[in-house]
Amino acid sequence: MIETHGEVSDADLDLVRQAGYKDSQILEIVALTVQFSVTNFLNNVMDTVDIPAPSAA
């Protein structure tokens, strides 16, 4: 989905369905992919730096 910029063929969807996924689960996969992509784009633009966890005392 990422490589094809969201263009997914009916054949690809059929393969996912044949693997046992329901349409509601496919929608969740798409939504999570979008969420993570947007988060990554925002972090790249804003040059977000992860704050390290505090060390154990």
Side-chain angles (χ1 to χ4, degrees):
M1 192 172 69
I2 294 294
E3 291 175 356
T4 61
H5 305 282
E7 297 290 331
V8 180
S9 70
D10 290 339
D12 287 335
L13 282 174
D14 287 340
L15 286 173
V16 176
R17 289 180 183 119
Q18 288 174 19
Y21 290 92
K22 300 176 196 169
D23 285 350
S24 60
Q25 293 170 311
I26 295 170
L27 180 59
E28 288 182 45
I29 292 168
V30 172
L32 285 170
T33 301
V34 170
Q35 176 186 350
F36 289 129
S37 295
V38 168
T39 301
N40 285 338
F41 293 165
L42 290 171
N43 286 332
N44 288 339
V45 168
M46 300 307 296
D47 199 23
T48 306
V49 177
D50 287 332
I51 300 170
S55 59

